[in-house]
Amino acid sequence: MTSPVGLHRVVEPAGVLPQAAWRLDARQEIAPNEVRIRVERLNLDAASFRQLWEKHGGDGDAVRAEVLEIISTRGKMQNPVTGSGGMLIGTVEEAGRRSPLGLKPGERVATLVSLTLTPLVVTDGLARWDGRSEQVPCDGWAILFARSIAAVLPEDLDPQLSLAVLDVCGAPALTARVVSRYVAERAALAEGRPVTVAVIGGAGKSGSLSLAAARRAGAGRTVGVVPVAVEQDALVAAGLADAVVLADARDPVALSTAVTSALGVPADVTVVCVDVPGCEHGAVLATADGGTVIF
């Protein structure tokens, strides 16, 4: 019997969900409710790539070798240190007759489920990847379960751009929902006070999209927090935030001071979009009592 969430693909330890499993069965043959994707490109999670890059001192060959080892050993791409994976784009190769995903052979898709739970095989040894970027051109296959999610890519959108944006689509989506709730609550209470939003790591993919989502959802004032001047200049030029400040997100006092000074008050909603540890305390300090922090 095949599980809609992929339990039948778990090799070890038995009885856990695919994301928690150490190893998955990535065989090519699909069950009636599965879909096989011919993989074109992986997008490694930013935290995972940073950990690998720093571990190997920027040696791209060593990074590539470890990614290959992870995939071949685990039957999926899940960094054992960070626990994170990423996502992929590819073309539907075969769809089981009972698959509920509605995907058809030949469709180019981006998976919206993590590589940490996606059975994956790489067949080209990552020969076209230099190990120096998060996007990994490759050949191989991946398996989607009945409860997986995938988006058919529009033909007029560059695949690499699609991969970069869809990899972080959860952050702006959640930001929009949370900010919309605050805006609606204040409108119902006839409060004139605007909703304030801080995005830590505002110049990155998820950060810039979250700033745009917050504004679209009705935020009254937004601030983007970045660690270096070049990112500050880029975010100012993009015009996505009302204010852009420099601060080390790992310094709670400095971060809280920067956000509060830029907004005039602590943030109602703080969105953490950074790929380094140690930013939790500052995010909490920068947020108003009763506010929300999104990690």
Side-chain angles (χ1 to χ4, degrees), residues 12-37:
E12 61 174 312
V16 302
L17 290 169
Q19 190 168 40
W22 176 253
R23 186 158 61 97
L24 298 180
D25 175 3
R27 68 185 183 279
Q28 193 169 18
E29 296 75 22
I30 62 170
N33 64 350
E34 293 180 328
V35 173
R36 186 175 65 255
I37 306 294

Side-chain angles (χ1 to χ4, degrees), residues 86-126:
M87 46 90 74
L88 63 85
I89 58 173
T91 302
V92 176
E93 200 167 54
E94 183 181 1
R97 67 182 186 279
R98 294 209 308 268
S99 170
L101 302 185
L103 299 176
K104 300 178 179 62
E107 289 183 325
R108 203 177 197 183
V109 299
T111 59
L112 301 183
V113 290
S114 175
L115 293 177
T116 61
L117 55 82
T118 303
L120 175 66
V121 170
V122 169
T123 58
D124 67 349
L126 301 181

Side-chain angles (χ1 to χ4, degrees), residues 42-210:
L42 309 177
N43 194 90
L44 301 184
D45 172 80
S48 175
F49 180 75
R50 176 189 285 271
Q51 185 274 326
L52 292 167
W53 182 259
E54 292 179 348
K55 173 183 176 180
H56 295 291
D59 184 339
D61 291 338
V63 172
R64 181 176 63 243
E66 181 160 356
V67 169
L68 273 172
E69 176 66 20
I70 291 171
I71 294 171
S72 63
T73 300
R74 306 196 65 177
K76 59 177 178 175
M77 179 54 213
Q78 184 174 26
N79 186 318
V81 176
T82 64
S84 54
M87 46 90 74
L88 63 85
I89 58 173
T91 302
V92 176
E93 200 167 54
E94 183 181 1
R97 67 182 186 279
R98 294 209 308 268
S99 170
L101 302 185
L103 299 176
K104 300 178 179 62
E107 289 183 325
R108 203 177 197 183
V109 299
T111 59
L112 301 183
V113 290
S114 175
L115 293 177
T116 61
L117 55 82
T118 303
L120 175 66
V121 170
V122 169
T123 58
D124 67 349
L126 301 181
R128 291 175 290 138
W129 184 48
D130 62 6
R132 294 178 168 273
S133 66
E134 297 171 14
Q135 292 207 8
V136 184
C138 66
D139 191 28
W141 68 80
I143 305 297
L144 300 184
F145 310 132
R147 293 292 298 275
S148 299
I149 310 172
V152 178
L153 297 178
E155 295 181 359
D156 60 348
L157 197 61
D158 181 85
Q160 293 188 45
L161 176 61
S162 300
L163 188 59
V165 171
L166 291 173
D167 179 49
V168 296
C169 65
L174 182 54
T175 298
R177 288 199 297 272
V178 172
V179 173
S180 295
R181 189 187 76 227
Y182 274 84
V183 171
E185 289 174 352
R186 295 207 177 152
L189 296 172
E191 286 190 28
R193 185 163 54 92
V195 176
T196 56
V197 178
V199 177
I200 305 170
K205 292 181 295 183
S206 59
S208 56
L209 288 169
S210 294

Side-chain angles (χ1 to χ4, degrees), residues 191-267:
E191 286 190 28
R193 185 163 54 92
V195 176
T196 56
V197 178
V199 177
I200 305 170
K205 292 181 295 183
S206 59
S208 56
L209 288 169
S210 294
L211 282 166
R215 178 174 288 176
R216 189 172 186 178
R221 185 164 175 78
T222 60
V223 59
V225 182
V226 296
V228 293
V230 65
E231 292 189 8
Q232 184 180 36
D233 294 341
L235 192 52
V236 168
L240 293 173
D242 296 303
V244 182
V245 298
L246 280 170
D248 184 344
R250 297 165 296 184
D251 184 333
V253 176
L255 177 60
S256 175
T257 300
V259 168
T260 303
S261 297
L263 295 175
V265 293

Side-chain angles (χ1 to χ4, degrees), residues 268-282:
D268 294 307
V269 179
T270 299
V271 188
V272 183
C273 296
V274 293
D275 58 2
V276 294
C279 303
E280 296 82 4
H281 293 94

